[in-house]
Amino acid sequence: MQRAKFALPSLVTLMSIACGFGSIVISVDNALIGSAHDYRWSAVLLVLAGVFDALDGMVARATNTTSEFGMQLDSIADVMNFGCAPGLLLYCYGFVQLGAHEPTLLRLGGIASFFFVACGALRLARFNVNVGRTDPRYFVGMPITAGAACVASVVVAWPDPAASTLHGGLIVALLFAVGSLMVSTVRFPSSKQKKSWTALVVLVINLGLLAWLQAMYFALFFAVYIAATLALNLAWKQGWRGIAPPVVYED
């Protein structure tokens, strides 16, 4: 039993991989059909993958089974779940059906989807080599999990596949923008911020908005999340210190 418990975090990680793979299968099967219901399910599976991704670390810490193997497996899983799966979802959702009449947009969509996947992989590699060398209160660049959730939130809010060149063009812009944020040096707040009553109030407000807006909530959340983060980084550059900026280590 003592040795078997080391498999628990990896089993949770494999559940995350199963959700990511399920999302890929649904996206591919639905590419030529264009069912809004199936695209939304594909996006929901990415959210579930994120839940299992958070749980595997919690299980490892709770059972004292943190290992190098588990960390490597988790990183590999993140590339598929939050890089390949959302990239393929947006490619099928935004460009496959339009591609019959807009071949240029189809190719551009493929490039944009690959750009998102590549930036996610680069983001993870940078994170892995910088563990312990950056302020843990802030991520350097948008986390890949947040990037995946950001693009998936568009599918959750508007599950009908792209039906116009403008719609497809906006998805291209979204993929390039989120991919660029992942490999940028913009500091995004992490969950390791100091706990306060303000954070509790913000959580309650978000739960209320979720109950009110439902599917639209996620797209609004990420729009505010990105805008507020960019505004905070700009304020730091201008010398504002109302919120303490990240500590810069010499190494």
Side-chain angles (χ1 to χ4, degrees), residues 52-73:
F52 284 117
D53 180 66
L55 284 176
D56 62 4
M58 295 172 59
V59 170
R61 289 187 292 271
T63 57
N64 195 28
T65 55
T66 302
S67 66
E68 184 66 25
F69 175 85
M71 289 187 286
Q72 294 300 324
L73 180 63

Side-chain angles (χ1 to χ4, degrees), residues 46 81-83 86 89-90 116 142-153 178 182 222:
L46 294 181
N81 294 339
F82 311 120
L89 168 60
L90 268 292
F116 176 88
M142 177 184 277
I144 189 173
T145 49
C150 181
V151 297
S153 69
V178 175
M182 287 195 290
F222 282 105

Side-chain angles (χ1 to χ4, degrees), residues 155-175:
V155 181
V156 173
W158 299 282
D160 291 309
S164 67
T165 304
L166 175 61
H167 193 174
L170 290 174
I171 295 172
V172 169
L174 174 70
L175 288 167

Side-chain angles (χ1 to χ4, degrees), residues 13-152:
T13 304
L14 289 175
M15 290 298 295
S16 174
I17 293 175
C19 291
F21 181 72
S23 175
I24 290 173
V25 170
I26 293 174
S27 297
V28 172
D29 287 348
N30 193 40
L32 296 177
I33 300 171
S35 168
H37 178 268
D38 286 353
Y39 277 133
R40 181 169 277 171
W41 264 114
S42 182
V44 168
L45 280 173
L46 294 181
V47 175
L48 287 176
V51 172
F52 284 117
D53 180 66
L55 284 176
D56 62 4
M58 295 172 59
V59 170
R61 289 187 292 271
T63 57
N64 195 28
T65 55
T66 302
S67 66
E68 184 66 25
F69 175 85
M71 289 187 286
Q72 294 300 324
L73 180 63
D74 182 69
S75 185
I76 293 169
D78 286 350
V79 173
M80 189 187 87
N81 294 339
F82 311 120
C84 295
L88 186 60
L89 168 60
L90 268 292
Y91 176 75
C92 295
Y93 164 82
F95 311 110
V96 170
Q97 292 194 330
L98 278 176
H101 310 288
E102 300 282 351
T104 301
L105 182 61
L106 179 67
R107 299 293 177 264
L108 185 59
I111 293 170
S113 298
F114 171 72
F115 179 81
F116 176 88
V117 175
C119 288
L122 292 169
R123 169 69 179 77
L124 280 170
R126 183 176 64 183
F127 174 80
N128 289 343
V129 300
N130 282 333
V131 171
R133 301 166 67 184
T134 58
D135 190 334
R137 297 174 302 160
Y138 297 95
F139 294 111
V140 181
M142 177 184 277
I144 189 173
T145 49
C150 181
V151 297

